[in-house]
Amino acid sequence: MGLVAAMLAAFATQVLITRALGSAAFGVVTVATQLAFVGGAATRFGMDMAAVRRVAIDLGRGERARVRAVVARAAVVAGAVSLAAGAVVFGASDWLARAFTTAPGDGRSAFRAAAVALPFVALAQVYLGATRGLKVMRHTLYIYWLGQPAAWIALMVLGWVWARTVGVSVLAYAGSWIVATAAAVWVWRRLTAGFGGLPPEPGETGDLLRYGAPRAPAALFSQLLFWTDLFVLAHFASSSEVGVYAAAVRAAQVILLFLISVNYVFSPFVADLYARRQRDRLDALFKSLTRWMLAATLPIFIVFAVAPGTVLRLFGEGFGAGRGALLILMAGQLINVATGSVGFILIMVGRTAIDLAVNAGAVALSVATAAMLVPRYGMEGAAVAGALTLAVSNLCRLALVWRYLRIQPFTREYLRLAVPVIAGAVAALLAHRVAGGGSWQVDLGSTALAGTLAYGAALVAAGLPSRERMAALRLLSLIRRGN
């Protein structure tokens, strides 16, 4: 439920920019901010995942007095690498503006602001990763998913009093990450204040670097999987078309809501259970979480598949042109969700080199297919490249998880989900046909309400095993009583 609120905050940020600045400016802002986000993923040098893994393992061993020193080393590594990368981006801002935008002046200021954001994107994630290693998830929600988008909105609105420009909008993005970093550092220190201060083990820095060396490019490639198609499109298309496609990409990523939630919750348990050789418990948890995650995601997929043009109207007039791209992207994201947390499992059990190889191959596939399809098919070609890359890379990870751990997420219980999917799709289609002639707000609300209610009723009636149905009914009873 917290991530639903976070999704709405992020969505509100994007809608605010599109309605205030237009699709062309939104395209430039998206390219610049995603460069900072993707760059931060790479230049934190895998120290966010190292922090999750090492803190979870040390706590499982009863050695919590050492975790502060380990995380401090990880932060130094991430800070040094990301500061250097930020300086490179700042110096290359003119070239980046010419290569990826059709507005060099706006692009230059946007990429310089993105360079300021980059090191703070990296450091915030390292400290939040450390808190997740403690199996405390709420701070990632409050600081990253809720706080950072809210701070961006507030700083952007204040900045627009001075100048309503692309550069100010991206500079506000940098400011929001500075606030998030300060909050993450404060929370980590407060949570571990009584842990003690043992020094790191001999060779600790070397161990972190060996873990992070393959993880750094793997993290870069992992983020590029979601954005390479956009960057290729930005090279060939106008800023306005890029803005429409960016809205479709953002809308499609809503389907990742529960996958992201499960990944953050699941990852420290993977490291802990694997280190203690409890493979059967890990397998059972993987199966249960993946099926529930898919079940929670399917209502979103139904609504977006039935009314893609209406969903894109949230961003403003003219964004309906991205409906075809949205449908294609949704297909790729559905495969991403259905295969579960396979990428995080490989990372948490130390298979970072394998993860790097998969991500590198996937990015190469994405660039090749996008470069081939975008000049002829535009944003639909970019969407095909993105969806194909997600499907292939996740199926490869699924096979690797089975090879190395002999676990996989699928059971016969998945077949039960067909009944609520059919019920939800029929109800959503009927509502869309009835309300489609009116305002888009009524159309979207009616389609979402009808599809979700029908899906939920059918899920409880026929989509769950008896033990899970009773648990769901007990939960609903508690919610109704306000407990």
Side-chain angles (χ1 to χ4, degrees):
M1 290 187 290
L3 279 175
V4 170
M7 173 197 72
L8 294 175
F11 217 63
T13 306
Q14 296 144 26
V15 171
L16 178 65
I17 295 172
T18 57
R19 291 188 173 272
L21 302 180
S23 60
F26 180 61
V28 177
V29 170
T30 301
V31 170
T33 54
Q34 288 311 306
L35 176 67
F37 190 79
V38 171
T43 59
R44 56 182 175 258
F45 210 72
M47 293 301 103
D48 56 331
M49 292 294 100
V52 174
R53 184 170 180 266
R54 285 302 310 275
V55 171
I57 291 173
D58 285 346
L59 257 65
R61 292 172 177 169
E63 298 179 0
R64 70 177 194 169
R66 211 178 294 278
V67 298
R68 296 191 81 177
V70 172
V71 172
R73 294 286 178 91
V76 168
V77 172
V81 177
S82 59
L83 280 171
V88 170
V89 171
F90 192 92
S93 58
D94 286 330
W95 177 83
L96 290 167
R98 291 192 300 270
F100 294 107
T101 72
T102 55
D106 285 343
R108 185 186 307 110
S109 61
F111 286 116
R112 287 179 177 176
V116 175
L118 195 153
F120 295 100
V121 173
L123 285 171
Q125 296 289 11
V126 172
Y127 282 101
L128 290 175
T131 66
R132 294 196 301 276
L134 298 172
K135 298 185 176 73
V136 179
M137 308 299 160
R138 62 184 181 275
H139 300 300
T140 295
L141 169 66
Y142 298 151
I143 295 172
Y144 175 24
W145 292 108
L146 285 174
Q148 185 269 325
W152 187 11
I153 291 174
L155 292 172
M156 189 161 49
V157 171
L158 286 175
W160 284 350
V161 174
W162 171 48
R164 188 173 292 191
T165 65
V166 167
V168 168
S169 302
V170 182
L171 191 61
Y173 177 80
S176 70
W177 278 107
I178 293 172
V179 172
T181 301
V185 172
W186 178 79
V187 163
W188 167 250
R189 290 179 176 173
R190 183 174 63 84
L191 287 174
T192 58
F195 277 23
L198 283 180
E201 294 179 349
E204 184 69 57
T205 302
D207 289 343
L208 288 172
L209 291 174
R210 279 189 291 275
Y211 179 86
R215 181 60 199 150
L220 172 62
F221 293 144
S222 176
Q223 290 297 326
L224 283 175
L225 289 181
F226 295 100
W227 298 103
T228 297
D229 47 336
L230 176 71
F231 292 145
V232 173
L233 182 68
H235 183 72
F236 288 102
S238 67
S239 295
S240 180
E241 186 176 359
V242 173
V244 172
Y245 184 69
V249 172
R250 289 292 195 182
Q253 289 177 354
V254 171
I255 202 174
L256 299 179
L257 176 69
F258 296 103
L259 175 62
I260 294 168
S261 173
V262 168
N263 283 343
Y264 281 132
V265 173
F266 191 31
S267 53
F269 288 93
V270 174
D272 185 20
L273 293 174
Y274 181 76
R276 292 192 279 136
R277 303 182 185 276
Q278 297 186 14
R279 190 193 66 83
D280 290 341
R281 288 187 64 191
L282 179 58
D283 184 41
L285 190 59
F286 185 29
K287 285 178 166 59
S288 179
L289 284 175
T290 305
R291 185 165 52 84
W292 272 95
M293 174 180 61
L294 180 62
T297 299
L298 285 171
I300 304 174
F301 179 81
I302 290 169
V303 174
F304 279 48
V306 168
T310 308
V311 169
L312 290 171
R313 284 290 305 275
L314 281 167
F315 294 92
E317 295 287 343
F319 284 88
R323 64 174 66 88
L326 176 58
L327 287 173
I328 297 168
L329 290 167
M330 291 288 290
Q333 295 290 9
L334 187 62
I335 296 174
N336 188 15
V337 172
T339 52
S341 305
V342 284
F344 271 70
I345 291 174
L346 289 175
I347 295 166
M348 287 295 105
V349 301
R351 298 283 181 174
T352 53
I354 296 295
D355 184 58
L356 169 59
V358 173
N359 284 331
V363 169
L365 174 64
S366 180
V367 171
T369 52
M372 185 168 52
L373 295 174
V374 165
R376 184 171 181 179
Y377 299 105
M379 69 175 76
E380 285 78 12
V384 169
L388 178 65
T389 300
L390 281 176
V392 171
S393 61
N394 279 284
L395 291 173
C396 286
R397 289 190 184 93
L398 184 65
L400 289 166
V401 167
W402 173 252
R403 176 183 176 185
Y404 291 118
L405 282 78
R406 294 295 174 184
I407 65 174
Q408 53 85 21
F410 305 116
T411 67
R412 286 179 296 178
E413 305 294 349
Y414 270 76
L415 298 177
R416 291 175 174 268
L417 296 177
V419 175
V421 167
I422 293 171
V426 170
L429 279 168
L430 290 174
H432 182 53
R433 285 182 176 273
V434 172
S439 68
W440 68 266
Q441 295 95 335
V442 173
D443 182 11
L444 181 58
S446 301
T447 303
L449 183 62
T452 303
L453 289 177
Y455 176 89
L459 180 68
V460 173
L464 299 176
S466 58
R467 65 185 185 281
E468 294 181 359
R469 184 183 306 114
M470 295 303 296
L473 291 173
R474 284 196 299 270
L475 177 61
L476 289 174
S477 176
L478 288 172
I479 292 173
R480 282 197 300 268
R481 293 202 302 265
N483 292 331

